[in-house]
Amino acid sequence: MTTSLPITDLEAAAELERLAAEIAYHNARYHTDDAPEISDADYDALVRRNATIEAAFPHLVRADSPSLKVGAAPAAHLAKVAHAKPMMSLDNGFSDEDITDFDARIRRFLTLATDITVALTAEPKIDGLSCSLRYEQGRLVQALTRGDGAIGEDVTANVRTIADIPDTLAGNAPDIFEIRGEVYMAKADFAALNARLLAEADDPEKARQFANPRNAAAGSLRQKDAGVTATRPLRFLAHGWGEASALPADTQLGVMHAIGNWGLPVSDMLVRVDQVAGALAHYRMIEGARADLPFDIDGVVYKVDRLDWQERLGAVSRAPRWAIAHKFPAERAQTVLRAIDIQVGRTGKLTPVARLEPVTVGGVVVTNATLHNADEIARLNVWPGDRIIIQRAGDVIPQIVDNLSRDDARGSWPFPDHCAECGSIAVREEGEVDIRCTGGLICPAQRVERLRHFASRVALDIDGLGTTQIEDFFRDGLVHAPADIFRLTEAQLLDRKKDGRVWAAKLIAAIDDRRAPPLDRFLFALGIRHVGAITARDLARRWTSWTGFADMVGRMAIHRATLTPALAESKDKFLARVGKELAAIAETPQVGPEVTLALTDFFAEPHNVQVIDDLLAQVTPADVVLITRDSPVSGKTIVFTGNLETISRDEAKAQAEALGARVSGSVSSKTDLVVAGPGAGSKLKKAADLGIEVIDEAAWRAIADPK
C-alpha cells in the first residue's frame, strides 16, 4: 500500500538523502560508539518518516536506504567476521493496534482461517548488546557482535570471561549451533561499576562514568583487552539462534527450552501465548513488573511459535515477518527546570538542552533533557524556574512533555539569534524547525565535520586524508580551517606513522594535486547548505569561473546583510530588494529562493568570507570550459534508467552534457527524454504515464555518436 504526501519528487529525494545521513550517524553513535545522542523514540520517528516517504515514492528508494540496513559498521579495533546467517533487526509496534495489525498480516500471508490460533512466544526485550555464540561439537568457537547485521566484531576472547556463557554445552547439542542473545549489565552491577570507577580515579571530576547499563555493557564487551572485560560484571540472556545443523524442536519455545537445558540463561518470563489477547495480557504483566526487574528492558518481543510458519513468513529487508517488538511508553516524573543551554551540533543545528533539578525516572537519576528546538520551547512555554514533567523516551535521553507552570502571558523564552560557539548569525529557513549557525567554516562545533566533507571523495577528493586523519590533525592543532590542509608540510607529518616519510610524501603530493580543483568540486567542498554536488555543478556551469560566481553572490550578500535576520518577512523583503541578482541566479537549473538565500546567508557572514579568502591564497579553482555541440537533445532534460550494457551511467551522463542536455535522476513533467536499458522499472512506467519519449541504448548511441 502506498501513501500520498504533499511533497514533490525533488523534495522527497532531498528528505530521503537527509534522513539516510541522519539515521546512519545515529546508528554509528548507538551501535559503534556506544554513545547515543537521541532517544529510541526519536530514532524510531526518523525511521518511520523514512518508511512513509519510501512508501509514497517507491521509485526514490535509495540503495543505501536505512530500511535495508541493520545496525552499523563494526568498530575498527576489532576483527570483522561475516555472520553465517544475518543478524536481523525487529520491526517495532507502539500500540495494541500495531500488534493486532501484526497478527492480521501473519494471517493474510499464511491464508489462515479466523478460527485458527496463531500461538506466539512473548518475552522481555532486554536492552543490551546483541551477540551470537557459535558452538561446534558443543564447544564455543566464536562470538560476534551484531555489527551491521552481515558482518560483526569478533569478541570471542572477551565473551569467554562472562560467567553466564559456558565454554561447553551440556547435553547433546547439534554439531553446529549459534545461540543469539543480549550481553547486558544488571542495574545493581552498573551502579557498583560506576562507583568503583569513581573511587579508583585520581581526579573524581574526570572519572570515567557510563551513562546507562546498555552503554556500560557494550563498552565493556568491545574492549581490545579481554582482561578489562573480565573486570566488568557482564551477563548474557539467550533469545534465539542463527545457523544450526539441526534443531532440537519444531517450535520457538521448544528450541529456547533446549538452549536453557544446554546451560545458557533464558528468560523466566518467556511464555507461549494464544493470539493477540494473550500477548497483550503478558505485555501488561511485564510492564507492571518492569521497575522491579534486575535489568533494563524497553518492551516485549513476540514471535510466531511454529517454526514451519516462521520459514513460510520469511523476512523483508532488515527484519523477519514473524516477529515484532512491542515497545513500552516512556516513564515520567516531575522536577524543576533550572536553565536552558544551547548546544551547537556538528551540522550547525542549535539544540536547546534543559538543565534540571535531579530527579529519578525509572531508576536513573536525570539532570538534563532535550527541548528539541525553538518551536518546542514555545509550545511548552517553558522558562527557567518552571515545574515540568519529563519522560525517558526509550529509556535513553529524557525529554520535557508538559509544563505545570505554564504562563502564556509572559511570551516565549528568547531563543538566541547568534551562535554561542562562534558568534555568527543563526538563521531559520522557511519551512524548517531548526535554527542553524551560518559560520560553518569557522564554527568550532562544526569544523571537524566541515573539514571532513571538504577533503572527502565527493568534494575535493584528497587521497589519504580521511576522517581519522582529519580528527587527529584537528585535535593536535595542525588543521583548523580548509587552508591549513594546504599548509601542511612533510616535516609536520613524519613522526605520525612508522613509515612516516613515505606516507607524508604521498599525502602532501595528494594535497598539492588539489590546488587547482574544478570549480564545481570547490563550491561543493565549501559545505554551503542546500548546495549539493548537482547544484554546485549547475552553478559552476552557469558562472564558469570563481570570479564571476563570487561577484554575483557578493552583491547579493550585501543586500542580505542589511536585513534584520530575525524578521519574519525577511525572505519576501530580500527577494524584492535583490530582484536583478535573483533573476540572474534563477537562470541556473534547480536553483531557487532556498538555495539563493543559503548562498547569500553564507557569504554575508564575514567570517566565512575571511576563511575563503585564506583558502584562495592556497588554491585556484579551475574555470569551467564548456564543450558542447548542437544536437537533437540540446537544452533538453534526459533521464537514464535501467542497466546500460555498452557504457557506464557516468559515461552516458557525460555524453548527454557534452551534447548540451541536462541529466536528471528522476522523471517529472519537465523530463524530455528517457533512455531505458534492461531492468528499467518505476521510472519507465512514470515516463509512459506522462507521455514522455522513451528510447533504448542503441537509439541513444545513434544520437551521441552519429556515424
Side-chain angles (χ1 to χ4, degrees):
M1 185 179 75
T2 59
T3 6
S4 162
L5 290 177
I7 56 176
T8 65
D9 266 32
L10 192 61
E11 292 168 332
E15 185 163 4
L16 285 175
E17 182 175 5
R18 178 188 66 79
L19 286 167
E22 190 167 358
I23 292 170
Y25 173 76
H26 290 302
N27 273 338
R29 294 295 290 163
Y30 183 89
H31 293 285
T32 304
D33 302 334
D34 306 319
E37 292 183 0
I38 62 173
S39 69
D40 285 0
D42 287 343
Y43 175 84
D44 290 337
L46 293 175
V47 172
R48 288 199 300 274
R49 176 62 177 170
N50 185 83
T52 299
I53 297 175
E54 288 184 342
F57 300 88
H59 57 289
L60 296 180
V61 175
R62 301 159 52 97
D64 62 346
S65 168
S67 64
L68 305 177
K69 293 185 175 183
V70 175
H77 70 272
L78 294 169
K80 301 167 182 61
V81 180
H83 291 291
K85 289 183 67 175
M87 288 190 74
M88 306 190 83
S89 184
L90 292 175
D91 284 335
N92 292 325
F94 299 92
S95 66
D96 292 0
E97 290 74 20
D98 290 339
I99 308 309
T100 301
D101 290 344
F102 168 67
D103 177 76
R105 289 195 301 271
I106 292 169
R107 293 179 177 280
R108 284 197 303 270
F109 196 93
L110 297 177
T111 62
L112 300 178
T114 55
D115 60 342
I116 294 179
T117 297
V118 177
L120 305 171
T121 61
E123 62 190 308
K125 183 179 182 296
I126 193 166
D127 194 13
L129 182 71
S130 296
C131 190
S132 181
L133 312 174
R134 184 178 181 86
Y135 286 87
E136 296 181 1
Q137 309 300 322
R139 298 187 64 83
L140 178 65
V141 297
Q142 190 174 69
L144 303 177
T145 65
R146 183 199 302 276
D148 63 4
I151 297 175
E153 302 153 330
D154 190 336
V155 289
T156 309
N158 306 55
V159 156
R160 292 189 190 279
T161 70
I162 301 175
D164 282 345
I165 299 175
D167 281 332
T168 304
L169 296 179
N172 296 316
D175 291 344
I176 297 173
F177 202 91
E178 290 181 352
I179 297 170
R180 293 179 172 176
E182 299 290 310
V183 173
Y184 69 96
M185 193 173 289
K187 297 174 186 176
D189 292 337
F190 165 71
L193 173 63
N194 265 350
R196 175 165 63 83
L197 293 174
L198 182 63
E200 292 174 352
D202 294 332
D203 183 351
E205 292 186 1
K206 297 181 180 179
R208 170 77 187 277
Q209 296 280 280
F210 289 105
N212 54 56
R214 193 269 171 194
N215 284 13
S220 299
L221 181 64
R222 300 164 72 241
Q223 292 285 325
K224 287 183 181 180
D225 181 0
V228 176
T229 304
T231 68
R232 305 287 173 79
L234 296 179
R235 307 294 302 270
F236 181 80
L237 196 66
H239 55 55
W241 61 93
E243 184 180 23
S245 57
L247 291 174
D250 58 5
T251 65
Q252 179 78 25
L253 189 66
V255 175
M256 293 309 301
H257 281 169
I259 290 173
N261 292 333
W262 295 337
L264 274 297
V266 174
S267 174
D268 57 6
M269 302 179 83
L270 169 66
V271 299
R272 180 191 285 121
V273 295
D274 289 335
Q275 309 194 106
V276 174
L280 295 179
H282 196 59
Y283 173 89
R284 305 287 180 234
M285 185 276 290
I286 293 177
E287 184 180 26
R290 178 185 185 187
D292 298 323
L293 293 177
F295 45 74
D296 284 337
I297 62 173
D298 57 6
V300 175
V301 175
Y302 310 125
K303 298 175 183 177
V304 172
D305 190 44
R306 282 181 51 169
L307 299 188
D308 59 334
W309 283 0
Q310 287 189 14
E311 186 173 359
R312 284 174 58 190
L313 286 163
V316 288
S317 63
R318 58 190 284 276
R321 290 191 181 94
W322 43 266
I324 192 170
H326 189 178
K327 292 293 195 73
F328 289 135
E331 296 191 62
R332 298 187 172 191
Q334 289 187 28
T335 188
V336 174
L337 174 62
R338 285 178 167 178
I340 300 174
D341 293 342
I342 302 296
Q343 293 182 347
V344 185
R346 64 189 182 92
T347 61
K349 176 183 172 182
L350 273 59
T351 301
V353 177
R355 307 302 182 189
L356 310 173
E357 189 74 30
V359 62
T360 299
V361 187
V364 175
V365 176
V366 173
T367 57
N368 302 317
T370 179
L371 278 164
H372 298 292
N373 50 54
D375 283 357
E376 183 69 0
I377 292 177
R379 184 186 73 80
L380 293 166
N381 190 232
V382 288
W383 285 70
D386 286 354
R387 187 159 191 84
I388 47 91
I389 295 177
I390 66 166
Q391 69 178 19
R392 292 179 64 216
D395 285 344
V396 181
I397 298 177
Q399 60 186 6
I400 297 175
V401 293
D402 199 4
N403 181 9
L404 302 179
S405 305
R406 188 181 187 99
D407 180 4
D408 292 335
R410 67 190 174 187
S412 296
W413 182 80
F415 201 94
D417 57 9
H418 282 74
C419 174
E421 294 285 341
C422 68
S424 299
I425 295 171
V427 299
R428 173 176 179 167
E429 297 178 7
E430 184 173 337
E432 294 204 359
V433 298
D434 295 327
I435 295 174
R436 296 178 185 273
C437 166
T438 58
L441 294 176
I442 58 93
C443 183
Q446 302 177 64
R447 277 179 176 167
V448 170
E449 178 63 19
R450 299 287 183 164
L451 288 167
R452 184 206 62 76
H453 169 76
F454 182 84
S456 68
R457 181 181 60 81
V458 293
L460 250 62
D461 191 19
I462 301 176
D463 189 30
L465 190 57
T467 299
T468 300
Q469 287 74 32
I470 290 288
E471 291 175 347
D472 289 347
F473 292 167
F474 182 82
R475 182 193 63 234
D476 296 341
L478 293 180
V479 173
H480 284 98
D484 294 337
I485 293 172
F486 296 92
R487 296 191 187 99
L488 289 170
T489 65
E490 288 189 34
Q492 291 175 303
L493 306 180
L494 289 178
D495 296 333
R496 304 185 74 86
K497 285 185 179 289
K498 289 182 179 179
D499 56 345
R501 188 169 298 280
V502 174
W503 170 74
K506 280 187 175 181
L507 182 55
I508 295 301
I511 292 171
D512 286 340
D513 191 46
R514 295 296 183 266
R515 289 186 181 273
L519 179 58
D520 60 335
R521 282 185 174 268
F522 182 78
L523 289 173
F524 180 53
L526 295 179
I528 303 170
R529 187 158 167 78
H530 299 308
V531 179
I534 300 301
T535 301
R537 182 199 66 186
D538 292 341
L539 288 168
R541 289 178 179 171
R542 170 66 181 83
W543 301 102
T544 72
S545 72
W546 170 257
T547 302
F549 171 80
D551 178 64
M552 176 274 301
V553 176
R555 284 184 284 121
M556 296 174 70
I558 291 172
H559 289 282
R560 183 67 174 94
T562 64
L563 302 178
T564 303
L567 289 180
E569 70 275 17
S570 62
K571 178 178 177 179
D572 293 338
K573 188 175 180 181
F574 166 73
L575 297 182
R577 294 183 61 179
V578 294
K580 181 178 179 182
E581 284 83 358
L582 180 61
I585 198 170
E587 295 173 15
T588 308
Q590 302 301 319
V591 173
E594 184 179 64
V595 174
T596 304
L597 282 169
L599 286 168
T600 52
D601 280 337
F602 184 86
F603 285 94
E605 177 53 61
H607 293 114
N608 288 337
V609 176
Q610 291 170 9
V611 170
I612 292 174
D613 287 344
D614 187 29
L615 179 58
L616 291 172
Q618 301 293 328
V619 303
T620 304
D623 292 350
V624 176
V625 179
L626 299 175
I627 302 175
T628 61
R629 65 177 190 267
D630 290 336
S631 74
V633 294
S634 292
K636 294 186 176 182
T637 298
I638 299 176
V639 172
F640 292 93
T641 184
N643 299 315
L644 302 183
E645 298 176 315
T646 61
I647 57 173
S648 69
R649 186 69 61 87
D650 287 341
E651 289 174 316
K653 289 181 179 180
Q655 288 177 341
E657 289 163 357
L659 293 170
R662 181 181 183 277
V663 179
S664 174
S666 59
V667 175
S668 70
S669 59
K670 296 181 180 179
T671 303
D672 299 297
L673 179 67
V674 171
V675 180
S682 59
K683 292 180 183 178
L684 183 60
K685 181 180 183 302
K686 188 170 184 179
D689 293 342
L690 294 174
I692 296 168
E693 181 183 1
V694 178
I695 63 174
D696 61 16
E697 188 175 346
W700 171 251
R701 287 201 308 272
I703 295 172
D705 189 20
K707 300 296 184 184

